[in-house]
Amino acid sequence: MRTRQPQKADQIYGILRRAIVMLEMAPGSPIVEKEVCSAYNVSRTPVREAVQKLAEEGLVNVIPHSGTYVSQISYAGAEEGFLIRRALEVEGVRRAAARADVDPEALAELDRITVEMQQMIANDQLDTYIDADDALHGTVARMSGMTRLWKFVSMAKVDLDRMRQLSAPVPGHLARVTEQHIQIVEAIRRGKPDQAELAMRIHLDSSFTVMSSLIRDSHGIFVEEAAR
């Protein structure tokens, strides 16, 4: 039984984290331990462990004698995550494009993902686009040869992920993002580090600009520091 407990905590953590990132659990909404226990047929211990991990990431606020609530998005945290992500991914994509032994299977995977992205847009499946987006960027990171790069990017972009999801419905945004992804893949395929870096910078910078423009109309979602 003891060996299963961490697995249960990890499962609950994964479920709650995804719901928060996908904005299925809105900022400010409560997380009630009893309800989570009942919904997933687990004891309170794995739920508390999962909540503690989410709190360490800044995704929930545990308020003594009050309850646990999904945190509001920190624009400062998202901006910091963006800067870290850009620095790491720019270096990663340069290395991926510079490698003489570019993995043909990885390139085929990137092509498959971009086709999936186009299909998602055509079928108006914008709510799950972030999964394909992460799959593409994660594949590029692995192609760089730096095995921990995507792990560090993922750790940095917690608040940024929720802003990404918030920006998904912006008309034309994900279509432009997909075209930018295709340009990144082509630069890697052609072995052009400078072009790959430029394409990645344009992609990340323009995406963050779109995300940042949503703050004024997203009352209650961002913490007060974000009101500019």
Side-chain angles (χ1 to χ4, degrees), residues 27-137:
S29 61
I31 297 178
V32 182
E33 282 188 9
K34 288 183 179 179
E35 293 179 358
V36 177
C37 292
S38 177
Y40 300 104
N41 192 28
V42 294
S43 66
R44 287 195 171 189
T45 299
V47 174
R48 287 174 178 171
E49 290 178 2
V51 167
Q52 177 60 35
K53 194 171 180 180
L54 291 168
E56 291 171 357
E57 284 191 89
L59 287 172
V60 303
N61 295 320
V62 180
I63 303 175
H65 312 299
S66 176
T68 300
Y69 303 89
V70 177
S71 66
Q72 292 175 305
I73 300 172
S74 166
Y75 181 82
E79 186 174 36
E80 182 179 57
F82 160 70
L83 294 174
I84 294 171
R85 176 179 189 177
R86 184 176 61 184
L88 293 176
E89 290 212 66
V90 161
E91 181 61 30
V93 78
R94 284 194 64 88
R95 290 181 179 236
R99 296 186 69 172
D101 56 340
V102 175
D103 184 353
E105 292 185 4
L107 278 173
E109 176 66 7
L110 292 178
D111 289 336
R112 184 197 66 76
I113 294 170
T114 56
V115 170
E116 180 184 3
M117 288 173 164
Q118 291 170 326
Q119 292 172 342
M120 285 180 168
I121 294 169
N123 297 326
D124 200 30
Q125 297 173 320
L126 307 185
D127 56 333
T128 55
Y129 186 95
I130 191 173
D131 294 326
D133 193 299
D134 278 349
L136 185 139
H137 283 270

Side-chain angles (χ1 to χ4, degrees), residues 146-183:
M146 295 186 288
T147 58
R148 295 184 296 170
L149 189 147
W150 187 244
K151 175 183 177 181
F152 292 137
V153 171
S154 298
M155 291 169 58
K157 65 186 183 70
V158 175
D159 283 300
L160 189 62
D161 279 344
R162 290 196 284 172
M163 284 182 66
R164 288 165 66 201
Q165 192 65 7
L166 195 64
S167 69
V170 173
H173 173 54
L174 293 186
R176 288 190 295 273
V177 165
T178 301
E179 287 302 315
Q180 291 165 355
H181 284 146
I182 291 172
Q183 292 172 12

